[in-house]
Amino acid sequence: MYEILLVDDHTHLVDSLAIALPWEQMGITAVHKAYSGEEALELLVYHSIDIIVTDIQMNGMSGLELISSINEKRRNLKTVILTGHDEFQYAKEALQNRVSDYLLKPVPNDELELTLRRLISEIEQEGKQLVDQQKSANMFRESLPRLRESLLLDLLAGKTFPAPSLKEKIRLYDLNFELDESAALLCIRVEEDYSNTDLYSVSLLEYALCNITEEVFAEHYRIWQCKDPYDYFIMLVQPLEGAKGGDPENVMPLEDLARHVQHQIKLYLKMKVSIVVSHHGKIVRDLVGMYRATLSTYSDFIGYQTESYLNVIEDQTMIELRPLSSLYATPTLMQLIDVERWSAFEQKLTEIFDELDNQAGNANEYGFEIYTALLQTFTYYVHKKGKRFFEVFGRDIDMLLKADASWSAVPLREWALVSFNLLKAYSNNRSDNLRSELMDRVYRFVAERLSEVTLQSVADYVHLHPVYVSNLFKQESGENFSTFVLRLRMDKAVQLLKSKDLKVSQIALEVGYQKPQYFIKLFKNHFGMTPQDFKNKNSEI
């Protein structure tokens, strides 16, 4: 399996060493011999050497020079130096050349064998790591389409990333998009009814649709695709440098390509689609607005018409209001409260009201939008916990349900924070109660099964992981679970020693110890005397 090269200008030493060790038992299938550094380099060209054992001082090329030369071409070889010179300079040079081991002559065979077996073990381990890394790399490559799609969906939903993090993800996912350059969105809606078509066939058609789009745009644009929650195919495109039509302000090439995509899909897939092309913008700053504008174009202008093509209509005089972006950006209020991320929820409230403060007009409309979203979120949380409003909010329920569209930002913010704090307090109290109830169940279980109780049996009883039970017990009681059980067993042992005429071995079994000697040791460590001494002392009183 492995091959070794022995190098020394003393031929008899090489020849004797070549037959001295149990090479096959060590996993070494070929032992090569060289009588100079130059000959060793020639052998390395024709054989897959894994380990080299060489003397330092040889005529011509020294062992250290040989290793230095090898490291320039094959840095993964294991090298062992044999030398009769115990000098610091040699050891220093060996370290600089990453020598695996440095042995002083004469080297006993068993010591050399032990060294070589260790190196073989290292080679095997490195091979496993290399295989694992290769598997991980293959898995990552296979996951790239899904990772790219997931990242684009996050950006469309308004999720924000620090600029360095987003740039690193784009680089890692091999997307080649430039955040500071202009881009546009294509939104493709399939207008065929595939409800009676099997999933495999539909998946093939969708795969073909994406391939056609990518092939049409590949010569002119970078393209990044995903399928959104509404089953629209979203294509983010960015002009390639020097490509025909690469000027982002020149929409005509993009329009021509989009229409060509529409034609190709119909020609080859027999599928009708409508396409909306957004205005151009920067990915970080404008992507969410570009996406919402394409969706609005479908709902406002295309409707149920088929095989339509439109550029996003940018006449701002047609639209007086747009939804508050921070209110609907992910993670949403509903998502945050669902997992009780209270700090993040409070931060999102701040962002929502900061955006409200920046709105020049329509404060009542936006206020009502915020109020209804929060009321829906609070209602969901309360009902999820199986409670009614008055059980959580008490006398404040009238204020909670006070829908007044004329609220200004200040009282609305106050109402939101008060309601939030009431929910948070309820959650904390509920968690305290649940932990208290859980601890009561643990205490009862331990008391009832003291002679046989274990952490695992308690965890099984309360349907939780043993590590969680252990951490919770320590947090709530202030002592380790094992210490608690030991204390109870020792207390019970004392009661039995006082009240019953039982042997120490019987008492040990009663409190959960099969071996009396172990029980005696624990008792003495706990009370400073043996059970028998305690019994004798108690009988004298």
Side-chain angles (χ1 to χ4, degrees):
M1 183 181 299
Y2 300 103
E3 298 187 25
I4 190 169
L5 174 60
L6 308 176
V7 187
D8 199 320
D9 58 353
H10 294 88
T11 58
H12 65 283
L13 293 178
V14 173
D15 294 339
S16 61
L17 184 57
I19 60 174
L21 298 180
W23 301 109
E24 291 187 4
Q25 294 180 18
M26 297 162 62
I28 295 175
T29 55
V31 179
H32 304 281
K33 297 182 290 184
Y35 305 112
S36 69
E38 292 80 5
E39 185 180 355
L41 289 177
E42 289 183 15
L43 288 172
L44 283 167
V45 174
Y46 300 104
H47 299 282
S48 300
I49 307 296
D50 301 289
I51 302 173
I52 293 178
V53 178
T54 180
D55 188 17
I56 284 187
Q57 288 192 335
M58 297 185 293
N59 292 326
M61 180 182 290
S62 72
L64 289 173
E65 290 172 338
L66 169 63
I67 292 172
S68 177
S69 179
I70 291 171
N71 286 338
E72 294 177 1
K73 300 176 182 178
R74 297 182 57 182
R75 302 173 67 87
N76 59 335
L77 257 67
K78 301 293 182 183
T79 53
V80 178
I81 286 290
L82 301 181
T83 180
H85 300 275
D86 185 12
E87 295 184 9
F88 174 75
Q89 184 59 35
Y90 282 141
K92 180 180 178 182
E93 289 186 44
L95 287 173
Q96 291 173 343
N97 285 284
R98 301 187 311 280
V99 171
S100 303
D101 215 328
Y102 185 93
L103 303 177
L104 294 176
K105 292 180 179 180
V107 183
N109 288 344
D110 57 348
E111 182 181 350
L112 180 58
E113 179 181 348
L114 186 64
T115 297
L116 294 177
R117 286 185 181 275
R118 176 177 59 79
L119 295 181
I120 290 171
S121 177
E122 289 180 7
I123 294 172
E124 290 175 346
Q125 186 62 34
E126 290 169 1
K128 290 178 182 178
Q129 290 176 355
L130 187 61
V131 170
D132 290 341
Q133 290 173 0
Q134 190 63 46
K135 286 181 179 179
S136 298
N138 290 338
M139 289 177 63
F140 178 74
R141 281 193 292 271
E142 291 172 3
S143 302
L144 269 179
R146 181 62 60 189
L147 291 170
R148 291 166 178 163
E149 182 176 23
S150 178
L151 178 57
L152 183 52
L153 285 170
D154 283 343
L155 293 172
L156 294 174
K159 184 173 182 179
T160 57
F161 297 88
S165 173
L166 182 56
K167 286 182 179 179
E168 177 61 18
K169 282 179 179 288
I170 287 175
R171 184 198 64 79
L172 191 62
Y173 297 169
D174 197 24
L175 287 165
N176 298 320
F177 271 73
E178 298 293 337
L179 297 180
D180 298 328
E181 293 183 9
S182 184
L185 275 182
L186 272 75
C187 185
I188 302 177
R189 184 180 72 182
V190 176
E191 292 161 342
E192 305 288 345
D193 183 7
Y194 291 115
S195 58
N196 295 321
T197 307
D198 65 277
L199 181 61
Y200 178 73
S201 298
V202 173
S203 298
L204 284 179
L205 287 170
E206 293 180 347
Y207 178 77
L209 181 151
C210 292
N211 269 358
I212 287 174
T213 308
E214 190 163 349
E215 287 178 6
V216 169
F217 276 85
E219 186 178 348
H220 305 273
Y221 288 86
R222 308 179 184 99
I223 186 165
W224 183 3
Q225 310 179 21
C226 73
K227 187 178 180 182
D228 76 0
Y230 313 109
D231 287 334
Y232 291 177
F233 291 91
I234 309 299
M235 317 289 180
L236 180 64
V237 295
Q238 189 174 69
L240 292 170
E241 292 181 6
K244 182 180 179 181
D247 182 0
E249 298 302 325
N250 184 1
V251 183
M252 288 302 296
L254 180 58
E255 180 176 339
D256 289 345
L257 292 171
R259 289 186 182 277
H260 186 52
V261 165
Q262 191 177 35
H263 173 73
Q264 295 288 88
I265 291 172
K266 184 176 182 179
L267 178 64
Y268 293 108
L269 303 182
K270 312 303 180 187
M271 182 188 293
K272 296 177 182 179
V273 298
S274 288
I275 300 180
V276 172
V277 179
S278 78
H279 57 282
H280 285 78
K282 300 296 179 63
I283 293 175
V284 174
R285 184 190 65 196
D286 304 316
L287 184 61
V288 174
M290 292 155 59
Y291 174 56
R292 289 177 180 167
T294 59
L295 296 182
S296 297
T297 300
Y298 271 109
S299 59
D300 295 343
F301 298 100
I302 295 180
Y304 294 103
Q305 297 180 53
T306 60
E307 297 186 89
S308 300
Y309 176 89
L310 273 179
N311 292 324
V312 167
I313 296 174
E314 285 295 306
D315 187 355
Q316 296 298 326
T317 61
M318 298 176 60
I319 303 174
E320 295 182 358
L321 289 172
R322 292 193 180 276
L324 294 169
S325 59
S326 57
L327 186 60
Y328 304 103
T330 57
T332 63
L333 290 168
M334 194 78 76
Q335 291 170 334
L336 291 172
I337 206 167
D338 201 19
V339 292
E340 298 184 2
R341 291 180 56 192
W342 299 113
S343 296
F345 191 97
E346 188 171 13
Q347 176 62 33
K348 190 169 183 70
L349 284 180
T350 301
E351 294 170 359
I352 291 169
F353 283 104
D354 285 348
E355 184 177 358
L356 176 62
D357 291 341
N358 291 327
Q359 299 301 321
N362 298 298
N364 290 350
E365 291 289 335
Y366 285 125
F368 191 73
E369 183 181 6
I370 294 171
Y371 170 78
T372 53
L374 285 171
L375 187 60
Q376 182 185 33
T377 302
F378 296 158
T379 303
Y380 166 78
Y381 180 79
V382 171
H383 290 173
K384 176 188 173 184
K385 299 300 181 182
K387 298 294 182 180
R388 295 179 176 86
F389 269 96
F390 73 86
E391 294 179 277
V392 176
F393 292 98
R395 289 179 297 179
D396 297 301
I397 186 172
D398 292 337
M399 185 192 73
L400 177 71
L401 299 176
K402 181 183 178 184
D404 188 343
S406 64
W407 281 1
S408 63
V410 174
L412 183 59
R413 184 193 291 259
E414 181 182 353
W415 168 83
L417 291 175
V418 169
S419 301
F420 160 76
N421 286 320
L422 286 170
L423 283 180
K424 183 180 177 182
Y426 165 76
S427 172
N428 292 337
N429 291 334
R430 183 174 180 273
S431 296
D432 291 341
N433 293 336
L434 288 175
R435 286 195 295 270
S436 178
E437 292 173 7
L438 181 61
M439 289 297 294
D440 288 341
R441 293 180 64 197
V442 171
Y443 288 140
R444 287 196 300 270
F445 184 85
V446 172
E448 292 169 0
R449 296 169 175 79
L450 186 59
S451 63
E452 59 186 10
V453 72
T454 63
L455 179 60
Q456 184 63 58
S457 65
V458 172
D460 292 341
Y461 175 67
V462 296
H463 306 294
L464 294 169
H465 195 279
V467 174
Y468 175 80
V469 174
S470 176
N471 292 337
L472 177 67
F473 193 93
K474 174 71 173 179
Q475 182 180 355
E476 295 296 313
S477 69
E479 65 179 332
N480 293 325
F481 177 80
S482 58
T483 304
F484 170 72
V485 172
L486 174 64
R487 180 166 57 80
L488 290 190
R489 286 177 171 174
M490 293 299 103
D491 290 346
K492 184 174 181 180
V494 166
Q495 294 174 8
L496 293 174
L497 287 168
K498 287 181 178 180
S499 60
K500 290 188 178 181
D501 189 16
L502 298 174
K503 295 180 179 178
V504 170
S505 59
Q506 293 174 311
I507 293 175
L509 290 174
E510 283 277 340
V511 297
Y513 299 106
Q514 299 296 320
K515 297 180 179 180
Q517 291 302 321
Y518 182 59
F519 164 67
I520 293 170
K521 178 182 177 181
L522 291 176
F523 191 95
K524 185 174 182 181
N525 288 339
H526 197 75
F527 293 107
M529 65 181 75
T530 66
Q532 189 61 51
D533 291 340
F534 181 90
K535 189 172 185 179
N536 294 338
K537 183 178 180 181
N538 190 64
S539 62
E540 295 173 358
I541 299 175

